[in-house]
Short mmCIF file of all heavy atoms in Angstrom, two decimals:
data_model
loop_
_atom_site.label_atom_id
_atom_site.label_comp_id
_atom_site.label_asym_id
_atom_site.label_seq_id
_atom_site.Cartn_x
_atom_site.Cartn_y
_atom_site.Cartn_z
N VAL V 96 6.49 2.43 8.78
CA VAL V 96 6.40 2.31 7.33
C VAL V 96 7.77 1.92 6.77
O VAL V 96 8.80 2.24 7.34
CB VAL V 96 5.90 3.62 6.67
CG1 VAL V 96 4.55 4.03 7.21
CG2 VAL V 96 6.90 4.73 6.82
N ARG V 97 7.74 1.23 5.66
CA ARG V 97 8.98 0.70 5.08
C ARG V 97 9.77 1.77 4.33
O ARG V 97 10.99 1.68 4.20
CB ARG V 97 8.65 -0.46 4.14
CG ARG V 97 9.85 -1.21 3.60
CD ARG V 97 9.44 -2.51 2.96
NE ARG V 97 8.57 -2.32 1.82
CZ ARG V 97 9.00 -2.02 0.58
NH1 ARG V 97 10.29 -1.88 0.35
NH2 ARG V 97 8.14 -1.89 -0.42
N CYS V 98 9.05 2.80 3.85
CA CYS V 98 9.72 3.81 3.02
C CYS V 98 8.98 5.13 3.11
O CYS V 98 7.75 5.17 2.97
CB CYS V 98 9.75 3.34 1.57
SG CYS V 98 10.63 4.46 0.45
N LEU V 99 9.72 6.21 3.36
CA LEU V 99 9.14 7.55 3.37
C LEU V 99 9.81 8.36 2.26
O LEU V 99 11.03 8.55 2.27
CB LEU V 99 9.36 8.22 4.73
CG LEU V 99 8.88 9.68 4.84
CD1 LEU V 99 7.37 9.77 4.60
CD2 LEU V 99 9.23 10.26 6.20
N ALA V 100 9.00 8.83 1.32
CA ALA V 100 9.51 9.67 0.23
C ALA V 100 9.06 11.10 0.48
O ALA V 100 7.97 11.34 1.02
CB ALA V 100 8.98 9.17 -1.11
N TYR V 101 9.89 12.04 0.06
CA TYR V 101 9.59 13.45 0.30
C TYR V 101 9.90 14.29 -0.93
O TYR V 101 10.94 14.10 -1.57
CB TYR V 101 10.41 13.98 1.50
CG TYR V 101 10.26 15.46 1.73
CD1 TYR V 101 9.04 16.00 2.11
CD2 TYR V 101 11.34 16.33 1.54
CE1 TYR V 101 8.88 17.36 2.30
CE2 TYR V 101 11.20 17.70 1.74
CZ TYR V 101 9.97 18.21 2.12
OH TYR V 101 9.82 19.56 2.30
N THR V 102 9.01 15.23 -1.25
CA THR V 102 9.22 16.12 -2.39
C THR V 102 9.95 17.38 -1.92
O THR V 102 9.36 18.28 -1.34
CB THR V 102 7.90 16.51 -3.07
OG1 THR V 102 7.05 17.19 -2.14
CG2 THR V 102 7.19 15.27 -3.59
N SER V 103 11.24 17.41 -2.19
CA SER V 103 12.10 18.51 -1.78
C SER V 103 12.36 19.42 -2.99
O SER V 103 11.57 19.44 -3.94
CB SER V 103 13.40 17.95 -1.20
OG SER V 103 14.19 18.94 -0.61
N ARG V 104 13.45 20.18 -2.96
CA ARG V 104 13.74 21.13 -4.03
C ARG V 104 15.16 21.00 -4.53
O ARG V 104 16.10 20.81 -3.75
CB ARG V 104 13.51 22.56 -3.53
CG ARG V 104 12.04 22.93 -3.38
CD ARG V 104 11.38 23.25 -4.70
NE ARG V 104 11.67 24.62 -5.10
CZ ARG V 104 12.42 24.96 -6.13
NH1 ARG V 104 12.96 24.05 -6.92
NH2 ARG V 104 12.63 26.23 -6.42
N ALA V 105 15.32 21.09 -5.84
CA ALA V 105 16.63 21.02 -6.48
C ALA V 105 17.23 22.42 -6.50
O ALA V 105 16.97 23.21 -7.41
CB ALA V 105 16.50 20.47 -7.90
N LEU V 106 18.03 22.72 -5.49
CA LEU V 106 18.67 24.03 -5.37
C LEU V 106 20.15 23.83 -5.12
O LEU V 106 20.56 22.90 -4.41
CB LEU V 106 18.04 24.83 -4.23
CG LEU V 106 16.56 25.20 -4.48
CD1 LEU V 106 15.87 25.57 -3.18
CD2 LEU V 106 16.47 26.35 -5.48
N LYS V 107 20.96 24.70 -5.71
CA LYS V 107 22.41 24.48 -5.71
C LYS V 107 23.03 24.54 -4.34
O LYS V 107 23.83 23.68 -3.95
CB LYS V 107 23.07 25.52 -6.63
CG LYS V 107 24.57 25.32 -6.81
CD LYS V 107 25.13 26.35 -7.77
CE LYS V 107 26.63 26.16 -7.96
NZ LYS V 107 27.18 27.16 -8.90
N ASN V 108 22.68 25.56 -3.54
CA ASN V 108 23.33 25.75 -2.25
C ASN V 108 22.32 26.25 -1.22
O ASN V 108 22.06 27.45 -1.14
CB ASN V 108 24.49 26.74 -2.37
CG ASN V 108 25.29 26.84 -1.09
OD1 ASN V 108 24.91 26.32 -0.05
ND2 ASN V 108 26.42 27.52 -1.15
N PRO V 109 21.74 25.35 -0.42
CA PRO V 109 20.72 25.75 0.55
C PRO V 109 21.19 26.81 1.55
O PRO V 109 20.38 27.56 2.08
CB PRO V 109 20.39 24.43 1.26
CG PRO V 109 20.75 23.37 0.28
CD PRO V 109 21.94 23.89 -0.47
N SER V 110 22.50 26.89 1.78
CA SER V 110 23.01 27.83 2.79
C SER V 110 23.03 29.28 2.29
O SER V 110 23.23 30.20 3.10
CB SER V 110 24.42 27.42 3.23
OG SER V 110 25.35 27.57 2.17
N THR V 111 22.84 29.50 1.00
CA THR V 111 22.90 30.87 0.47
C THR V 111 21.59 31.28 -0.22
O THR V 111 21.58 32.17 -1.06
CB THR V 111 24.06 31.03 -0.53
OG1 THR V 111 23.88 30.12 -1.62
CG2 THR V 111 25.39 30.74 0.14
N LEU V 112 20.49 30.66 0.14
CA LEU V 112 19.21 30.96 -0.50
C LEU V 112 18.67 32.32 -0.09
O LEU V 112 18.71 32.70 1.08
CB LEU V 112 18.18 29.89 -0.11
CG LEU V 112 18.33 28.52 -0.77
CD1 LEU V 112 17.40 27.51 -0.11
CD2 LEU V 112 18.04 28.61 -2.26
N ALA V 113 18.16 33.05 -1.07
CA ALA V 113 17.46 34.31 -0.79
C ALA V 113 16.03 34.01 -0.33
O ALA V 113 15.50 34.69 0.54
CB ALA V 113 17.45 35.19 -2.02
N ASN V 114 15.43 33.00 -0.92
CA ASN V 114 14.06 32.62 -0.57
C ASN V 114 14.10 31.67 0.62
O ASN V 114 14.25 30.45 0.48
CB ASN V 114 13.40 31.94 -1.78
CG ASN V 114 11.92 31.67 -1.55
OD1 ASN V 114 11.40 31.81 -0.44
ND2 ASN V 114 11.23 31.26 -2.60
N GLN V 115 13.98 32.23 1.81
CA GLN V 115 14.12 31.45 3.03
C GLN V 115 13.03 30.40 3.21
O GLN V 115 13.19 29.45 3.97
CB GLN V 115 14.16 32.39 4.24
CG GLN V 115 15.45 33.17 4.36
CD GLN V 115 16.66 32.27 4.54
OE1 GLN V 115 16.74 31.50 5.50
NE2 GLN V 115 17.60 32.31 3.59
N LEU V 116 11.92 30.55 2.49
CA LEU V 116 10.86 29.56 2.56
C LEU V 116 11.35 28.19 2.10
O LEU V 116 10.84 27.16 2.53
CB LEU V 116 9.68 30.01 1.69
CG LEU V 116 8.37 29.23 1.81
CD1 LEU V 116 7.79 29.38 3.21
CD2 LEU V 116 7.37 29.71 0.77
N MET V 117 12.36 28.18 1.24
CA MET V 117 12.87 26.93 0.70
C MET V 117 13.74 26.17 1.70
O MET V 117 13.95 24.96 1.55
CB MET V 117 13.69 27.19 -0.57
CG MET V 117 12.92 27.82 -1.72
SD MET V 117 11.61 26.74 -2.39
CE MET V 117 10.14 27.47 -1.62
N VAL V 118 14.24 26.85 2.71
CA VAL V 118 15.15 26.20 3.67
C VAL V 118 14.47 25.04 4.39
O VAL V 118 15.10 24.03 4.70
CB VAL V 118 15.69 27.24 4.68
CG1 VAL V 118 16.53 26.57 5.76
CG2 VAL V 118 16.52 28.30 3.96
N ARG V 119 13.17 25.16 4.62
CA ARG V 119 12.45 24.12 5.36
C ARG V 119 12.50 22.77 4.64
O ARG V 119 12.36 21.72 5.29
CB ARG V 119 11.01 24.53 5.62
CG ARG V 119 10.15 24.67 4.38
CD ARG V 119 8.76 25.18 4.71
NE ARG V 119 8.81 26.47 5.38
CZ ARG V 119 7.72 27.19 5.67
NH1 ARG V 119 6.52 26.74 5.35
NH2 ARG V 119 7.83 28.36 6.26
N HIS V 120 12.70 22.79 3.33
CA HIS V 120 12.81 21.50 2.62
C HIS V 120 14.02 20.72 3.13
O HIS V 120 13.95 19.51 3.34
CB HIS V 120 12.94 21.74 1.11
CG HIS V 120 11.67 22.22 0.47
ND1 HIS V 120 10.56 21.42 0.35
CD2 HIS V 120 11.35 23.41 -0.07
CE1 HIS V 120 9.60 22.10 -0.25
NE2 HIS V 120 10.06 23.31 -0.52
N PHE V 121 15.11 21.41 3.32
CA PHE V 121 16.34 20.73 3.73
C PHE V 121 16.33 20.41 5.22
O PHE V 121 16.91 19.42 5.65
CB PHE V 121 17.54 21.60 3.31
CG PHE V 121 17.51 21.89 1.84
CD1 PHE V 121 17.03 23.09 1.36
CD2 PHE V 121 17.90 20.91 0.92
CE1 PHE V 121 16.95 23.34 0.01
CE2 PHE V 121 17.82 21.16 -0.44
CZ PHE V 121 17.34 22.37 -0.90
N GLN V 122 15.60 21.21 5.99
CA GLN V 122 15.38 20.87 7.40
C GLN V 122 14.53 19.61 7.51
O GLN V 122 14.77 18.77 8.37
CB GLN V 122 14.70 22.05 8.11
CG GLN V 122 15.58 23.28 8.22
CD GLN V 122 14.83 24.50 8.72
OE1 GLN V 122 13.68 24.74 8.33
NE2 GLN V 122 15.46 25.28 9.58
N THR V 123 13.56 19.48 6.62
CA THR V 123 12.73 18.26 6.60
C THR V 123 13.57 17.06 6.20
O THR V 123 13.45 15.97 6.81
CB THR V 123 11.55 18.43 5.63
OG1 THR V 123 10.74 19.54 6.05
CG2 THR V 123 10.69 17.17 5.60
N GLU V 124 14.43 17.21 5.21
CA GLU V 124 15.33 16.12 4.82
C GLU V 124 16.16 15.67 6.01
O GLU V 124 16.30 14.46 6.27
CB GLU V 124 16.25 16.57 3.68
CG GLU V 124 15.60 16.69 2.32
CD GLU V 124 16.63 16.96 1.23
OE1 GLU V 124 17.84 16.88 1.52
OE2 GLU V 124 16.22 17.26 0.09
N ASP V 125 16.73 16.62 6.74
CA ASP V 125 17.56 16.30 7.90
C ASP V 125 16.75 15.52 8.94
O ASP V 125 17.25 14.56 9.54
CB ASP V 125 18.12 17.58 8.54
CG ASP V 125 19.15 18.27 7.68
OD1 ASP V 125 19.69 17.63 6.75
OD2 ASP V 125 19.43 19.46 7.93
N TYR V 126 15.50 15.93 9.14
CA TYR V 126 14.66 15.28 10.15
C TYR V 126 14.33 13.86 9.73
O TYR V 126 14.31 12.93 10.57
CB TYR V 126 13.38 16.10 10.33
CG TYR V 126 12.58 15.75 11.57
CD1 TYR V 126 12.98 16.19 12.82
CD2 TYR V 126 11.42 14.98 11.49
CE1 TYR V 126 12.24 15.89 13.96
CE2 TYR V 126 10.68 14.67 12.62
CZ TYR V 126 11.10 15.14 13.85
OH TYR V 126 10.36 14.82 14.98
N ILE V 127 14.07 13.66 8.45
CA ILE V 127 13.79 12.31 7.95
C ILE V 127 15.01 11.41 8.11
O ILE V 127 14.90 10.27 8.57
CB ILE V 127 13.34 12.37 6.48
CG1 ILE V 127 11.97 13.04 6.37
CG2 ILE V 127 13.29 10.97 5.86
CD1 ILE V 127 11.53 13.36 4.95
N GLN V 128 16.17 11.94 7.77
CA GLN V 128 17.40 11.15 7.92
C GLN V 128 17.64 10.78 9.38
O GLN V 128 18.06 9.66 9.69
CB GLN V 128 18.59 11.91 7.35
CG GLN V 128 18.57 12.00 5.83
CD GLN V 128 19.70 12.86 5.28
OE1 GLN V 128 20.02 13.91 5.82
NE2 GLN V 128 20.31 12.42 4.19
N ALA V 129 17.36 11.70 10.28
CA ALA V 129 17.57 11.44 11.71
C ALA V 129 16.55 10.46 12.28
O ALA V 129 16.79 9.85 13.32
CB ALA V 129 17.51 12.76 12.49
N SER V 130 15.41 10.30 11.58
CA SER V 130 14.35 9.41 12.09
C SER V 130 14.73 7.94 12.02
O SER V 130 14.15 7.11 12.72
CB SER V 130 13.07 9.63 11.28
OG SER V 130 13.17 9.03 9.98
N GLY V 131 15.67 7.61 11.14
CA GLY V 131 16.05 6.21 10.95
C GLY V 131 15.21 5.49 9.92
O GLY V 131 15.48 4.32 9.61
N LEU V 132 14.20 6.16 9.36
CA LEU V 132 13.38 5.54 8.32
C LEU V 132 14.15 5.45 7.01
O LEU V 132 14.98 6.31 6.71
CB LEU V 132 12.11 6.38 8.09
CG LEU V 132 11.06 6.38 9.20
CD1 LEU V 132 10.07 7.51 8.97
CD2 LEU V 132 10.33 5.03 9.24
N ASN V 133 13.87 4.42 6.23
CA ASN V 133 14.38 4.39 4.86
C ASN V 133 13.65 5.46 4.06
O ASN V 133 12.44 5.66 4.24
CB ASN V 133 14.16 3.03 4.22
CG ASN V 133 15.02 1.95 4.85
OD1 ASN V 133 16.11 2.22 5.33
ND2 ASN V 133 14.51 0.73 4.88
N TYR V 134 14.36 6.14 3.18
CA TYR V 134 13.76 7.29 2.53
C TYR V 134 14.16 7.40 1.07
O TYR V 134 15.14 6.81 0.61
CB TYR V 134 14.14 8.58 3.26
CG TYR V 134 15.63 8.89 3.23
CD1 TYR V 134 16.21 9.55 2.14
CD2 TYR V 134 16.47 8.49 4.27
CE1 TYR V 134 17.57 9.81 2.11
CE2 TYR V 134 17.83 8.75 4.25
CZ TYR V 134 18.37 9.41 3.16
OH TYR V 134 19.72 9.66 3.10
N ILE V 135 13.38 8.22 0.36
CA ILE V 135 13.71 8.68 -0.99
C ILE V 135 13.43 10.18 -1.00
O ILE V 135 12.36 10.61 -0.58
CB ILE V 135 12.84 8.00 -2.07
CG1 ILE V 135 13.00 6.49 -2.04
CG2 ILE V 135 13.18 8.54 -3.46
CD1 ILE V 135 11.99 5.76 -2.93
N PHE V 136 14.38 10.96 -1.48
CA PHE V 136 14.17 12.39 -1.64
C PHE V 136 14.04 12.72 -3.13
O PHE V 136 14.90 12.33 -3.93
CB PHE V 136 15.33 13.21 -1.05
CG PHE V 136 15.46 13.10 0.45
CD1 PHE V 136 16.70 13.24 1.05
CD2 PHE V 136 14.35 12.86 1.26
CE1 PHE V 136 16.83 13.13 2.43
CE2 PHE V 136 14.47 12.76 2.63
CZ PHE V 136 15.72 12.89 3.22
#
Side-chain angles (χ1 to χ4, degrees):
V96 302
R97 187 167 62 83
C98 183
L99 176 61
Y101 174 66
T102 60
S103 188
R104 286 282 278 112
L106 295 161
K107 185 178 180 180
N108 187 351
S110 67
T111 60
L112 286 170
N114 187 350
Q115 288 298 300
L116 190 65
M117 298 295 102
V118 174
R119 65 184 58 174
H120 288 292
F121 304 99
Q122 293 171 319
T123 300
E124 286 188 8
D125 291 343
Y126 195 77
I127 292 171
Q128 289 175 319
S130 75
L132 290 165
N133 291 330
Y134 64 84
I135 301 170
F136 294 151

